[in-house]
Amino acid sequence: MKIYTRTGDKGTTSLFSGQRVHKNDPFIDALGTVDEGNSALGLALSFLPKEPFYQETRDQLEIIQHALFDVGAALATPRSCHQNQKLEKTRFDHEAIDLLEKWIDAMEGQLPALKTFILPGGHPAGAALHLSRSIIRRAERYVVPLYEQGDVVQDVLIYLNRLSDYLFAVSRFVNHHLKAPETLWQSHKTCQHA
């Protein structure tokens, strides 16, 4: 089977129902942005050291990558125009949210308290996790109107919100353990250099 189908050559693509939509349809914007966030997670994983200490983090990130495909399946199956069997196949489970919260709590117990904003960056793995966090925030913004019109279950929206919290915590966790200091935000720093 060839990777190219030519079916999208006129700017359309298919949802799970087979319905053709434009590639700038709100569902495709949301799907594409979730895919971007997932790709940034892959980048972060490629930078993460292979030492056993980071294996649990690697496992968590891989579980999240799988969950983001579940999010994509839910987004590709608008609730207003699909049959129950397809909706059941592409359901999104609340347990994924509980897992993120458990991981966040475990990491935050090992991190210094924050008293101000930090700049994204640090070790390449930490920086890539920050990048993924900001992309997932954009995905969340795209999903809000789809949720408001009843086409996406609330658990998808909650998951994206909690995932950005997790990615913030894990970026700090990775940078902390890799001895990559956090850069604290300084208000009006440009004025000092003008």
Side-chain angles (χ1 to χ4, degrees):
M1 183 174 151
K2 294 184 178 181
I3 193 167
Y4 59 89
T5 62
R6 298 191 175 109
T7 57
D9 289 353
K10 293 185 179 176
T12 63
T13 190
S14 292
L15 295 175
F16 184 51
S17 63
Q19 174 191 359
R20 300 293 296 178
V21 295
H22 291 285
K23 289 186 179 183
N24 62 351
D25 183 271
F27 286 97
I28 304 306
D29 280 339
L31 275 164
T33 309
V34 166
D35 186 40
E36 280 182 61
N38 205 342
S39 296
L41 280 180
L43 180 66
L45 276 163
S46 75
F47 289 134
L48 203 59
K50 305 286 191 256
E51 284 109 31
F53 176 81
Y54 298 100
Q55 189 57 50
E56 185 177 1
T57 303
R58 297 180 76 78
D59 292 344
Q60 290 175 7
L61 295 175
E62 188 175 304
I63 289 167
I64 289 166
Q65 285 192 298
H66 286 279
L68 286 174
F69 269 83
D70 294 336
V71 167
L75 291 172
T77 316
R79 299 185 64 73
S80 60
C81 58
H82 282 85
Q83 304 156 349
N84 284 341
Q85 356 170 236
K86 286 200 175 185
L87 290 173
E88 180 55 30
K89 272 187 189 175
T90 60
R91 74 183 191 282
F92 191 81
D93 300 318
H94 189 86
E95 289 80 7
I97 299 163
D98 297 335
L99 200 53
L100 288 177
E101 291 177 352
K102 179 179 132 187
W103 293 339
I104 291 168
D105 292 343
M107 281 185 291
E108 286 197 327
Q110 302 177 47
L111 294 172
L114 270 183
K115 296 185 176 12
T116 186
F117 292 111
I118 58 170
L119 303 185
H123 185 275
L129 290 163
H130 275 294
L131 176 63
S132 183
R133 171 190 55 77
S134 65
I135 293 169
I136 292 300
R137 281 284 189 213
R138 179 161 36 99
E140 182 186 7
R141 293 192 299 272
Y142 281 135
V143 169
V144 167
L146 304 178
Y147 163 70
E148 288 175 341
Q149 68 194 32
D151 275 321
V152 177
V153 294
Q154 187 176 19
D155 281 343
V156 167
L157 189 60
I158 294 170
Y159 183 79
L160 293 172
N161 183 271
R162 206 68 79 253
L163 178 55
S164 60
D165 295 335
Y166 167 86
L167 291 169
F168 181 75
V170 76
S171 65
R172 292 193 69 219
F173 178 84
V174 165
N175 282 336
H176 177 73
H177 286 286
L178 289 170
K179 310 283 189 268
E182 294 176 324
T183 304
L184 302 180
W185 168 61
Q186 296 177 35
S187 175
H188 306 290
K189 187 169 178 70
T190 52
C191 296
Q192 299 165 15
H193 297 279

